[in-house]
Structures are given as C-alpha cells and as structure tokens.
C-alpha cells in the first residue's frame, strides 16, 4: 500500500497531525514537506458519496519521499458515469479495505506535511467527512490549492486552469487521467512549476505561499518582492517612495509577515495609495516588541510620514489650566508655563480639554467669564452668573476670600480629588434619569466619562514619568526606563538602536519636568501600556520613585 520512503522521510519529526508551528510556517520552501493527494469518489457530495481510491505523493526540495496508493471499498456500487470517467468498477474496489482501515496509514503518511491538492477543497472535504464519521478530528495541516495558485500565476497563459489543460500547456512529466495516483503525480509536477513562478513574487516560505492566492490578486502584487529581505523578528518597517521619502512607519513582532499582509488581508482605505507610491521597504530590527513600539513612535515624531496618523497628532494636544489670577478660571492652553497655575494634561485635543472643562463647570461654580470688573466695569453680570451656575466677580456679590474655597475645590478636582466633580455629575445624572430626562442624563454621563478618562490617562503617564530611573525584568530581558523614556534593553550585549534615534542629551544632563510634554506622551503611553499588560509578570529591580498611586481608584462609568 505504502511505497518505501527515503531515510530523510523516516527521520522527519512527528507531531500531532496538522499542528503546524510558527516556525513551520516560516520554513523556506525547499525545506517544506508537501503531501500531494488526490481522491476518486462515487460522486460529488462528501455527505452522500464515498471515497473509492486514494493516491498521494510526498515531496520535499523537488525530491520524492514516497508514494501512497490504495483502492477503498466505498460500501456501495460505483455509478456508471464514474466508471466511464475513471475506469473504476465495483469489482475492482470491492476486495479493498474500508476507509476506516485505510485512514490510520494515510494519516501517518501525511504526518505534518503541507496538504496539497488541485481544487483541494473537494479532496479535503471528503477526507474530513471520513475522519468525522470515524470519530477523528478534521485535518488541520496547512493547505495549498494548486488550482488557486495557477489562477494567480499562469492564468494568462492557459485557456482554463483544469489539471489536464495545465499538464498539457506546461508540459508536465505526468498527465492526469482521473486516477488517483496519476493525478497526484501530475499535481506534484504542477506544484513545482508554480513554486518556480511564485519566486517572482518574493515567495520564499510556506506562509508566503499560503498568502499568495489572495496577495497575487492585489494590484500591487509585483511589489511583494520588496519584502524579500525582511526578517521574521521584531522591528520597525518604513515604506518609502521613489525619492526616498518615508511614507509610513509601522511596527511588528514579525516584520516579514506583517508587511506582506498589506498585500492580502489589510483592507484599510489608505493601504492602496500607500502601496502605489511605495518604491522601497526598509526595516530596523529591534531586540523586543517594546523597543519596536518605542522606535516607531520616535521615528514618526521625527519624520512625520504622510500616511501615519497615530503618533502625528501630538501637536494637537492641549492642557486644561486653572489660572493663577485673583479669581481663577478654567482655560484651554497648548503648553505649560512656569507659573503657579494648576494644569491637567496633556489631553489629546483642545476639544477634549474643553469637554473636561464643561464637566468641571457643570459640577462646581467656577468663574466662567473673562471680565475684570476693576478694569472693565460691566453694567450687568455675565449670563452664567445671572443663571446662578457661576460665582463670577462681575456679579459684585463675591470677594476674593469668598471665592477661594471654590478655587480650592477646582484645584483639588484637577489633581487629587476628582470625586468632587464626578460625584456631583453622577448625582445630577441620576436625578435627570429619575425625571425621565434621558438625553440630559446621557449628557451628564458623557461629561463624567470625559473627566474620568482624562484623569485616568494623566495618571498613567504621570506614574511612569515620575518613577525616575526604573529597571524592570521580564523573563530574560531587562528594561531600563529613565524620566519616562526607554533607555536600554538587555541582555547587555544585544544591540540597541534607541540611542541613535533619540537625539536628546544623555540622561544625566536632562532636567526632569514636573509635567509631561505632549511630544513625550506617545512614548509614555507605550511604556505605561506595556507595564500594565505585563504587571503580573515583571519584577522591579530599581525605581527612584514609585509605581503605586496613592490616589483613589476612578470609577468605571460606561457601565452606568
């Protein structure tokens, strides 16, 4: 039943059938074992019909490792039309073993090889149906369809992609005749021809081959060759145009797989234009995914690529400021000054900062108008003062001493005690909902969420920023963070490219600011997210400050 295999095949690794590892998918094609299989059946329905002949050939690096051929008793007569097509008769297959007796040998022959067929869904469908009927799991091996590959690679050279037509036009050594082993041999010949053609698309590994049917349909598929030099390691990739200008910067834990996905599974609208303009794809290998994420942010800030959005919006950041005037008020500003004012931020935009200000002004009667009665007397109080929602000096009924408790409450709400705002907003939300004023209640909820989210973001950034020099260990890697910037990743002998991208002065010459600059917020976000994600696995070796906040936990408001 099974022809002798070569010693290399007998020494092949054995795992559970179909359990391909990440390394297998990245295996060069000349090291991949393919099992090309063809079935003859009593009809076209895996549910109602049965297998009557199996033929398979196992190949690697262009060498035949073994063949498998057997008749199978389908447990029924072979229809006349199948006999006319294949030459198989009921008398030929009746002495053969039933499929349940054939499957163990067939599965052992297939092993963990990539499963190949011409219109492979047909053969795999019958094989899976037989496995299910015998209480076995479906075949999970990587699957290669030579019909789909032929449509992408040689469709313009042939009238159709039938196996017989391809064998004739491409002058294959074996010709199909609707018998299982002969068809499998012809399919194996076709596979080798298609692998040679696929090399022109930069296909060098198994996962490249699996992606090719969809990637080759991409209008920019010829540019797949730009990914040839990309490694299967963490790093940053840079799409460049014909002049060398960087169009887009991205990060990946597997550079080759991520960039090649742009030609197949990535359906974002900007990708089409990006690939049309791309003339080169460069990369920077890093020692870890964290270093890749930080390198990406720094390059985006430095180069401002046209197709990047994330990492280029920091210039729109803003702070919410409680001024240091005699009657402090809230103001949205772009930068922090060396004054006695209180700041909350950086926030992602002036619009969000204004939304947070609305939340504070809704909960606390902070001054809203900009008038100075001592210099610009008003004939009437401002509208918020007349409505009684703001304690403004223009109303003439409050002095500086009376206003100070209000300013102190706002100052505390922006720094250490956000409950002064949140509790009042939620009380008002519940009251409005009780009165069935649901739209107004939803607005109160949204203001509370905006205020809580602003505090949550600032706390995360501030925690890492104020930690000073922070050394943490995760697995066999040590990470050094100083003043909210990634400085080094160890093992110490691993090359680090961060210093070449970070143009700042050495850490010893830096003067830590008591606030976070907008340009630093993106990197701090990456670091804070990494620390949060690995909080249960990292070990702190050194910390100048603390990674534990003394402030109370913020409520989870969206659930309300």
């Amino acid at each position: 039943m099974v022809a002798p295999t070569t010693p290399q095949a007998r020494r092949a690794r054995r795992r559970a059938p179909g359990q391909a590892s990440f390394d297998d998918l990245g295996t060069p094609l000349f090291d991949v074992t393919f099992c090309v299989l063809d079935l003859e059946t009593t009809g076209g329905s895996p549910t109602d019909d049965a297998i009557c002949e199996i033929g398979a050939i196992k190949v690697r690096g262009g060498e035949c490792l073994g063949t498998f051929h057997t008749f199978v008793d389908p447990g029924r007569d072979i229809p006349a039309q199948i006999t006319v097509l294949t030459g198989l008769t009921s008398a030929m297959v009746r002495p053969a073993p039933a499929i349940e007796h054939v499957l163990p040998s067939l599965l052992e022959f297939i092993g963990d090889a990539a499963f190949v067929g011409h219109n492979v869904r047909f053969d795999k469908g019958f094989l899976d149906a037989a496995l299910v009927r015998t209480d076995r799991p479906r075949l999970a091996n990587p699957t290669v369809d030579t019909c789909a590959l032929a449509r992408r690679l040689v469709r313009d050279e042939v009238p159709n992609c039938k196996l017989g037509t391809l064998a004739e036009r491409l002058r294959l050594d074996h010709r199909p005749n609707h018998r299982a082993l002969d068809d499998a041999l012809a399919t194996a010949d076709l596979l080798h021809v298609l692998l040679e053609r696929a090399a022109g698309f930069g296909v060098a590994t198994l996962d490249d081959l699996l992606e090719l049917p969809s990637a080759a349909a991409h209008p920019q598929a010829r540019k797949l060759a730009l990914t040839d030099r990309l490694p299967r390691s963490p790093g940053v990739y840079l799409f460049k145009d014909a002049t060398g200008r960087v169009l887009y910067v991205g990060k990946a834990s597997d550079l080759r797989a991520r960039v090649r996905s742009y030609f197949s599974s990535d359906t974002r609208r900007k990708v089409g234009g990006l690939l049309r303009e791309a003339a080169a794809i460069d990369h920077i290998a890093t020692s870890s995914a964290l270093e890749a994420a930080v390198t990406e942010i720094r390059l985006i800030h430095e180069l401002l690529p046209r197709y990047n959005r994330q990492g280029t919006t920091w210039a729109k950041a803003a702070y919410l400021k409680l001024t240091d005037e005699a009657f402090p008020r809230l103001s949205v500003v772009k930068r922090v000054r060396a004054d006695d004012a209180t700041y909350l931020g950086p926030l992602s935009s002036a619009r969000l900062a204004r939304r947070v200000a609305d939340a504070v002004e809704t909960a606390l009667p902070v001054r809203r108008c900009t008038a100075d009665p001592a210099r610009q007397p008003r004939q009437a109080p401002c509208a918020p003062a007349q409505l009684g929602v703001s304690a403004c000096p223009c109303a003439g009924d409050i002095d500086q001493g009376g206003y100070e408790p209000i300013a102190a409450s706002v100052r505390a709400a922006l720094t250490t005690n956000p409950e002064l705002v949140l509790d009042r907003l939620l009380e008002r939300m519940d009251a409005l909902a009780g009165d069935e004023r649901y739209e107004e209640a939803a607005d109160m909820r949204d203001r509370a969420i905006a205020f809580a989210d602003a505090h949550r973001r600032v706390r995360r950034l501030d925690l890492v920023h104020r930690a000073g020099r922070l050394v943490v260990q995760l697995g066999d890697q040590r990470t050094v963070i100083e003043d909210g910037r990634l400085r080094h990743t160890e093992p110490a002998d691993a090359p680090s490219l961060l210093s070449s991208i970070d143009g700042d002065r050495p850490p010893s010459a830096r003067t830590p600011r008591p606030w976070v600059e907008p340009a630093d917020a993106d990197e701090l976000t990456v670091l804070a997210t990494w620390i949060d994600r690995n909080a249960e696995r990292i070990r702190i070796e050194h910390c100048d400050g603390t990674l534990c906040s003394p402030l109370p936990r913020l409520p989870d408001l969206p659930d309300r």
Side-chain angles (χ1 to χ4, degrees), residues 69-147:
H69 178 240
T70 183
F71 290 133
V72 179
D73 182 5
R76 69 197 70 180
D77 290 336
I78 295 179
Q81 62 269 27
I82 300 299
T83 298
V84 171
L85 179 66
T86 66
L88 293 172
T89 65
S90 299
M92 294 170 63
V93 300
R94 190 168 292 120
I99 188 64
E100 55 265 27
H101 300 302
V102 174
L103 284 175
S105 298
L106 178 61
L107 292 176
E108 182 182 1
F109 182 80
I110 296 173
D112 57 2
F115 186 81
V116 183
H118 197 74
N119 190 15
V120 72
R121 291 179 61 186
F122 177 88
D123 300 296
K124 190 173 183 299
F126 269 91
L127 188 55
D128 282 342
L131 290 169
V132 170
R133 282 196 293 268
T134 56
D135 296 324
R136 291 180 172 90
R138 296 173 184 268
L139 201 66
N141 298 49
T143 302
V144 179
D145 188 350
T146 53
C147 184

Side-chain angles (χ1 to χ4, degrees), residues 398-476:
I398 190 170
D399 58 16
Q400 189 171 347
Y403 187 80
E404 178 54 32
I406 298 174
S409 295
V410 176
R411 194 173 294 111
L414 296 181
T415 53
T416 61
N417 194 4
E419 288 79 7
L420 290 172
V421 169
L422 292 175
D423 289 349
R424 299 188 186 189
L425 290 176
L426 296 179
E427 287 176 6
R428 188 170 300 184
M429 179 192 75
D430 292 338
L432 290 169
D435 293 338
E436 299 185 358
R437 297 161 63 180
Y438 298 119
E439 291 185 3
E440 296 173 74
D443 183 60
M444 288 297 124
R445 177 204 60 200
D446 293 344
R447 295 186 187 199
I449 290 173
F451 185 77
D453 286 349
H455 264 279
R456 189 173 288 110
R457 167 185 165 84
V458 170
R459 284 186 186 183
R460 292 179 74 238
L461 301 183
D462 194 58
L463 205 62
V464 180
H465 178 252
R466 293 181 182 272
R469 180 178 175 85
L470 175 64
V471 182
V472 299
Q473 184 172 343
L474 177 62
D476 59 355

Side-chain angles (χ1 to χ4, degrees), residues 321 333 335-341 343 515:
K321 174 182 180 179
V333 298
R335 60 181 57 87
V336 175
R337 298 184 182 277
D339 53 22
D340 293 329
Y343 294 87
W515 61 86

Side-chain angles (χ1 to χ4, degrees), residues 169-200:
R169 294 300 181 97
L170 299 177
R171 300 179 182 180
L172 303 181
D173 291 340
H174 296 88
R175 300 299 172 92
N177 58 8
H178 296 291
R179 292 298 300 274
L181 184 57
D182 289 340
D183 287 7
L185 292 170
T187 303
D189 292 342
L190 175 62
L191 174 67
H192 290 136
V193 171
L194 296 176
L195 291 181
E196 293 180 7
R197 298 292 186 93

